[in-house]
Amino acid sequence: MIYVGIDVAKDKHDCCILGSEADNLYPVFTIPNNKAGFDELYEKIFSVTDDMTEIKVGLEATGHYSLNLLGSLIDKGLATCVINPLHTNLYRKGLSLRKTKTDKVDAGSIAMMLMTDKTLKPYSDTSYHSEELKSLTRYRFDKVQERAKLKTSVTRLINILFPELEKLVPNLHMASVYALLYEFPGASYIADSHLTHLKNVIETASKGRYGRDMAVTLRNAAKDSIGSVMPAKSMELKHTINLIEVITGEIDEIESSIKSIMDANNSPITTIPGINYRMGAMILAEVGDFTRFSNADQILAFAGLSPSTYQSGQLDSCHSHMEKRGSKYLRYALFNATKFVCHWDETFRAYLSKKISEGKHYNVAVSHAAKKLIRTIYRMELTGEVYRK
């Protein structure tokens, strides 16, 4: 076997090629992150052997820096393992007591890991092609978080400019309220507005739900408002509302692309009550190829949902906390999807109630239900069966 360890960086990659006896077939070398560098790497690999089954390549999961190289290796048909940097770091420390950390040392450590750790599995085509779905779901996650922060800013600005408004409408973050505040960004603007114009704005934005009576109520409240008259804050409010609408449009476009991919995948995960295509896509994208996990518990560990363990001598930890390592996106998706599934499915709802009746905190009970859910999803994805209660 030939083991190739690659330490990935932005502009260059350090490579180590080992034989079956851990002998260096080439001195550790550096290639540039371009086509010429990739060609140099393949030339040296194939100069040792032409048998693809005898070559195993490993590199760290270093975010977007490794994507181009990973795609090139998979296109060449080389078995490539993507390794958690925490794993390689611990392995390197276990090789020596000395504090030695360089790119060339890391490349050698990765090659040695490939040789000694038989649990490492090659990155599959399924995982590689799910990168687009992963990119979309993570992009949507960030956009939703960004929009949530802007909505908080809107609430803050309304409390300054027109605090009475919050008690006059069901929700501040409605299309009709945004249209009103964009046209009249403050109590003073509403108080000085023409009643007919005010009525037309809210009637159009609410699609007829609000009319003249609401316009009168708003203007009377605005006249008696304690809100500050601050043009700078009013301008900030208008700009913030505009940003929210732009981001909402972007989120809709992202979700349309996610739905197209999910429809093409035809995954049974969406047959589980409470899991829609958005949350289902996030789970599928983060897990990737389910066959690379021997059991569902490995997916729990990958998400960081498994409890930490500490036992030494007579000491045995009895209040273990969640590890919270691995994919935070998968952890978020599983935990929140479980809440919806427990609401819509009576089997999971009963299981959650059982855990709560045992004295467990709600979040702890949800984490137990999440374990049950991921075992269900794991089985469904391997067999292709739809959900059955």
Side-chain angles (χ1 to χ4, degrees), residues 120-192:
L120 294 176
K121 294 183 178 180
Y123 202 76
S124 65
D125 286 338
T126 303
S127 295
Y128 181 65
H129 291 301
S130 69
E131 285 294 334
E132 184 178 3
L133 188 60
K134 183 190 292 186
S135 177
L136 286 170
T137 54
R138 290 188 175 188
Y139 186 42
R140 179 190 174 276
F141 179 88
D142 293 338
K143 283 293 179 182
V144 170
Q145 295 289 96
E146 185 180 348
R147 185 177 61 178
K149 291 180 181 179
L150 291 173
K151 287 183 176 181
T152 302
S153 295
V154 167
T155 303
R156 172 180 58 83
L157 292 167
I158 291 173
N159 288 333
I160 296 172
L161 299 169
F162 190 8
E164 294 81 5
L165 179 62
E166 192 167 5
K167 295 181 180 178
L168 300 177
V169 295
N171 187 356
L172 290 177
H173 306 289
M174 300 164 54
S176 55
V177 175
Y178 281 179
L180 170 71
L181 293 173
Y182 192 81
E183 185 74 18
F184 308 104
S188 61
Y189 294 90
I190 297 175
D192 296 337

Side-chain angles (χ1 to χ4, degrees), residues 190-262:
I190 297 175
D192 296 337
S193 66
H194 193 281
L195 185 60
T196 303
H197 180 45
L198 178 61
K199 178 189 80 77
N200 290 336
V201 169
I202 61 174
E203 189 175 47
T204 303
S206 65
K207 298 180 180 179
R209 181 179 179 184
Y210 299 122
R212 182 179 177 82
D213 292 341
M214 187 61 172
V216 172
T217 301
L218 287 170
R219 196 168 70 165
N220 290 338
K223 289 179 179 179
D224 296 330
S225 176
I226 61 171
S228 302
V229 180
M230 302 178 68
K233 294 295 183 186
S234 296
M235 182 176 65
E236 183 183 350
L237 178 59
K238 289 183 65 174
H239 290 180
T240 305
I241 290 172
N242 184 59
L243 284 173
I244 289 174
E245 291 175 347
V246 169
I247 292 176
T248 299
E250 292 174 345
I251 291 173
D252 291 341
E253 185 178 355
I254 296 167
E255 289 180 351
S256 177
S257 297
I258 291 173
K259 191 174 188 307
S260 297
I261 295 175
M262 287 296 289

Side-chain angles (χ1 to χ4, degrees), residues 130-145 254-255 257-259 261-262 265 267 269-270 275-290 292 299 302-303 327-337 340 374 377 381:
S130 69
E131 285 294 334
E132 184 178 3
L133 188 60
K134 183 190 292 186
S135 177
L136 286 170
T137 54
R138 290 188 175 188
Y139 186 42
R140 179 190 174 276
F141 179 88
D142 293 338
K143 283 293 179 182
V144 170
Q145 295 289 96
I254 296 167
E255 289 180 351
S257 297
I258 291 173
K259 191 174 188 307
I261 295 175
M262 287 296 289
N265 287 347
S267 170
I269 193 172
T270 52
I275 296 184
N276 59 15
Y277 71 91
R278 290 183 293 267
M279 203 62 74
M282 200 170 210
I283 294 171
L284 295 180
E286 294 300 322
V287 175
D289 186 2
F290 279 80
R292 67 192 178 105
I299 301 179
F302 178 67
S327 172
K328 69 175 183 179
Y329 299 99
L330 179 57
R331 187 161 58 248
Y332 165 85
L334 284 174
F335 199 82
N336 284 277
F340 288 106
I374 194 58
I377 294 172
E381 286 297 321

